[in-house]
Amino acid sequence: MTKNSSTISAALTLPCGVALPNRLAKAAMTEGLADPWLRATERHQHLYRRWSRGGAGLLLTGNVMVDRRVLERPGNVAIDGNGGLAMLESWARAGTCAGNQLWMQISHAGRQSPRYVTRQPLAPSEVQLNLAGNYAKPRAITEDEIHHFVERFATVARVAQSTGFTGVQIHAAHGYLLSSFLSPVTNRRQDQWGGSLGNRARFLLQTVRRVRATVGANFPVAVKLNSADFQKGGFGEDDCLQVVEWLNDEGIDLLEISGGNYEQPRLLGYSGRDESAADERELRDSTREREAYFLDFAAKVRDVRKMPLMVTGGFRTMAVMESALQSGDADVIGLGRPLCTDPNVPMQLLNGEREAAPAYESSVRLGTGVWGGNSSFFPLKLLNVLGQQGWYYQQIMRLADGKSADTAMHLIPALCRYLADEWMSAARLKR
């Protein structure tokens, strides 16, 4: 088959002047490959070299933490006075070996840090994450700490730039610290960092501003933002549109739209406890039929955004990807899970060898139906979410070790291996 000459193969020049070679991006996925001191390892190099050679124009790393006390998982890389700069340089060289962009995703886990790695999470307010008893009650951070973390994001961005990463993405989605400040469900502060949307967005906007001032005008700076939290009274679509308008003035180079948090894992195609059956049916009847979970909202963002837009979540077929690009609803298509089972999927799509990315979600689940049985049975949904997560994490580990994916792996053994890996990694942590 001949090389695809469609929109997806076209280069994209960003506002800072840097060009993406094509419109496919490997979306950020937490790797869990750090050493006990939370530093990058040779496994990062092996994994990202494979992904670089796989053809995507942009690779986004998983969470690189600005605070080694509060982690999303024990295998996170952190940049917080723990050394490891030479390994970061090696990671960056490996991840750009095919001439693609490699951007470091910078994050703070906030209240979404499990008990086995963090005794006391940090958050805008003392609102505990109630999920299987796995998360401790957070402490509300002080105003001085907010200013400190703004500087920490900027410091990590400077380290990324100096060690060879070609851009950064500020993670303000999925319920992590910056995202939790945006949501009135988790942000109940009465000071200048809470209350109105302008106050709740202040942390994010100051962080973006400080990062841009640190890395300069010619270095890509991106933001990942929730379309909504999908929780009653939470951060909603109208809020997101307003934040996008504010971000227009901050000189960012790419906005990625996603959604949900640990309680509402829409980023994985699932909803949680408090969403109505009507909402669930609407999801199945609209965006789910067109694969991309957040594409409907992206069409609304198109009317207000000035920066290029990346949409991630559920894309599988070339037809849907091309339609999103040609309509202007997206400028970059993010692919995550398909690259866990075959790092060469982007090249195969670009070369016309594939018309669709691989999808194993329907086979890697317990029960039947859209949610794995009765959609109101939350424990089964939770088991499927965690089990699929563990299954894909195991595939990442295999790729990092130079192996091929094991697509015949069953959900329960994968989940057990994932949990065992997490607890052992947590036991080895040296902070």
Side-chain angles (χ1 to χ4, degrees):
M1 302 178 74
T2 59
K3 183 175 180 180
N4 200 318
S5 59
S6 55
T7 309
I8 206 165
S9 300
L12 175 67
T13 300
L14 304 173
C16 67
V18 169
L20 304 182
N22 57 59
R23 305 302 182 91
L24 287 179
K26 183 206 79 69
M29 294 179 288
T30 178
E31 304 96 359
L33 301 174
D35 70 12
W37 290 268
L38 306 176
R39 301 176 302 204
T41 66
E42 290 186 0
R43 297 174 86 190
H44 287 94
Q45 298 170 42
H46 298 325
L47 178 63
Y48 277 82
R49 186 177 292 110
R50 296 181 76 171
W51 275 335
S52 176
R53 292 170 177 167
L58 169 63
L59 305 181
L60 289 160
T61 75
N63 284 307
V64 173
M65 313 308 294
V66 304
D67 181 355
R68 58 179 163 160
R69 302 169 302 167
V70 181
L71 305 174
E72 171 255 341
R73 60 185 296 206
N76 288 149
V77 171
I79 298 175
D80 186 15
N82 54 331
L85 296 184
M87 292 304 287
L88 288 175
E89 292 173 349
S90 297
W91 181 8
R93 283 194 300 271
T96 56
C97 68
N100 56 284
Q101 290 284 302
L102 173 65
W103 297 358
M104 181 185 288
Q105 185 186 73
I106 307 174
S107 182
H108 189 295
R111 72 181 191 132
Q112 294 183 167
S113 184
R115 291 180 187 271
Y116 55 86
V117 290
T118 303
R119 292 183 179 179
Q120 187 171 54
L122 302 178
S125 304
E126 295 180 358
V127 180
Q128 188 170 2
L129 173 58
N130 182 21
L131 192 61
N134 197 32
Y135 298 86
K137 186 175 182 179
R139 174 177 65 79
I141 64 176
T142 66
E143 186 165 9
D144 285 345
E145 287 176 310
I146 293 173
H147 291 297
H148 170 74
F149 285 130
V150 169
E151 291 301 318
R152 290 296 310 155
F153 274 89
T155 296
V156 174
R158 183 171 62 247
V159 170
Q161 184 180 36
S162 66
T163 54
F165 291 82
T166 61
V168 293
Q169 183 190 63
I170 297 166
H171 199 339
H174 300 170
Y176 299 124
L177 186 63
L178 290 175
S179 175
S180 66
F181 263 81
L182 291 171
S183 174
V185 170
T186 47
N187 184 347
R188 301 177 184 176
R189 302 175 72 98
Q190 302 299 314
D191 59 9
Q192 65 170 332
W193 308 94
S196 68
L197 179 60
N199 283 351
R200 287 183 276 122
R202 190 185 306 276
F203 191 178
L204 169 61
L205 296 175
Q206 289 199 7
T207 298
V208 173
R209 219 165 283 151
R210 188 72 187 92
V211 167
R212 172 55 76 197
T214 299
V215 299
N218 301 319
F219 190 74
V221 175
V223 171
K224 187 168 189 172
L225 184 68
N226 270 0
S227 58
D229 295 336
F230 304 106
Q231 290 181 287
K232 293 179 180 178
F235 184 77
E237 291 187 355
D238 289 343
D239 294 332
C240 179
L241 293 173
Q242 178 58 72
V243 173
V244 172
E245 289 197 52
W246 289 331
L247 287 171
N248 282 336
D249 299 326
E250 300 301 331
I252 70 170
D253 295 291
L254 188 66
L255 174 68
E256 181 182 2
I257 290 295
S258 190
N261 51 35
Y262 283 14
E263 292 156 311
Q264 291 288 346
R266 278 289 184 84
L267 64 155
L268 302 178
Y270 284 83
S271 63
R273 292 178 189 271
D274 62 353
E275 211 149 8
S276 70
D279 289 338
E280 214 162 86
R281 283 195 302 272
E282 183 180 352
L283 175 67
R284 292 200 301 268
D285 294 342
S286 58
T287 52
R288 181 166 297 281
E289 289 185 354
R290 288 169 36 211
E291 303 176 22
Y293 313 144
F294 308 111
L295 196 53
D296 283 347
F297 181 70
K300 300 177 184 178
V301 175
R302 178 177 61 182
D303 296 331
V304 299
R305 53 103 175 187
K306 295 180 181 177
M307 72 290 285
L309 183 66
M310 174 176 166
V311 183
T312 302
F315 284 104
R316 292 297 180 267
T317 65
M318 280 289 292
V320 173
M321 297 179 206
E322 278 292 337
S323 174
L325 293 169
Q326 291 175 9
S327 68
D329 291 342
D331 300 292
V332 177
I333 302 296
L335 296 176
R337 288 180 164 188
L339 274 69
C340 297
T341 55
D342 188 346
N344 297 315
V345 165
M347 184 179 298
Q348 293 163 357
L349 291 170
L350 293 166
N351 288 341
E353 298 172 22
R354 280 184 180 269
E355 289 301 321
Y360 293 95
E361 289 83 359
S362 60
S363 59
V364 185
R365 73 157 47 114
L366 299 177
T368 60
V370 174
W371 303 121
N374 182 356
S375 65
S376 65
F377 188 48
F378 181 74
L380 184 55
K381 284 201 281 187
L382 179 60
L383 182 59
N384 275 323
V385 169
L386 294 177
Q388 288 187 5
Q389 182 173 284
W391 191 89
Y392 280 101
Y393 286 165
Q394 290 300 309
Q395 309 304 338
I396 288 176
M397 296 286 187
R398 291 181 64 85
L399 295 183
D401 290 334
K403 302 175 183 177
S404 298
D406 179 7
T407 58
M409 187 184 299
H410 293 288
L411 182 144
I412 294 299
L415 175 59
C416 292
R417 283 196 289 269
Y418 157 61
L419 293 175
D421 288 343
E422 291 292 281
W423 292 330
M424 287 189 291
S425 295
R428 292 194 294 263
L429 280 176
K430 300 182 185 300
R431 288 181 290 184

